[in-house]
Each structure stands twice: as C-alpha cells, then as structure tokens.
Amino acid sequence: MKKILIIDDDPFFAKNIKGVLDPKLYEVISAQNGEEGLQKVKESIPDGILLDIMMPQMNGMDFLKQLNET
C-alpha cells in the first residue's frame, strides 16, 4: 500500500482529497503546515506528497527547501 502525505492548512480540502483516493490502494497521512509535514515525512516516509504552497508558519516552498536539506 502506498503512503500519501497531504500537507494543507484547509481541513476541508485535505478531507476531499483523501476521499478521492482509494483506501485499498493508499494510506493517507495529513499535516496542517510545513513544519508538521516535515515531522510526518520523517515518521512515515511517504511515497508521494500533495503540498499546498500558501500556508501559515512554513509555506510549501519553505517546506521543499527544508526537505531537500534533510
């Protein structure tokens, strides 16, 4: 089963994306900001990431920079 990490500060959007993904094929993990997303990446090592760019605290671009440095 593939792991997908959704990083988005809008819980409605994250829930809708999760609803589209087949639970038989994907384990969906979510985070509400880039900082939480980095923690989830370390904990779960996802196969794919769906990332919002405009978020408070750490935005999507800063998340990508941090991810590449790890």
Side-chain angles (χ1 to χ4, degrees), residues 32-65:
Q32 293 185 353
N33 59 54
E35 291 174 352
E36 185 180 347
L38 286 173
Q39 181 181 348
K40 299 276 181 155
V41 165
K42 292 175 185 175
E43 293 171 358
S44 63
I45 309 171
D47 297 294
I49 300 173
L50 297 173
L51 176 64
D52 184 10
I53 297 299
M54 297 177 63
M55 296 181 290
Q57 295 177 355
M58 179 186 289
N59 66 37
M61 298 307 288
D62 291 338
F63 168 85
L64 291 172
K65 289 176 189 172

Side-chain angles (χ1 to χ4, degrees), residues 4-18:
I4 304 294
L5 173 60
I6 300 172
I7 305 173
D8 197 307
D9 60 322
D10 183 345
F12 179 76
F13 181 78
K15 182 179 178 182
N16 283 332
I17 293 296
K18 183 177 181 177

Side-chain angles (χ1 to χ4, degrees), residues 1-2 18-28:
M1 180 178 295
K2 301 284 184 180
K18 183 177 181 177
V20 171
L21 297 171
D22 186 344
K24 295 176 187 171
L25 300 175
Y26 302 102
E27 175 185 350
V28 178

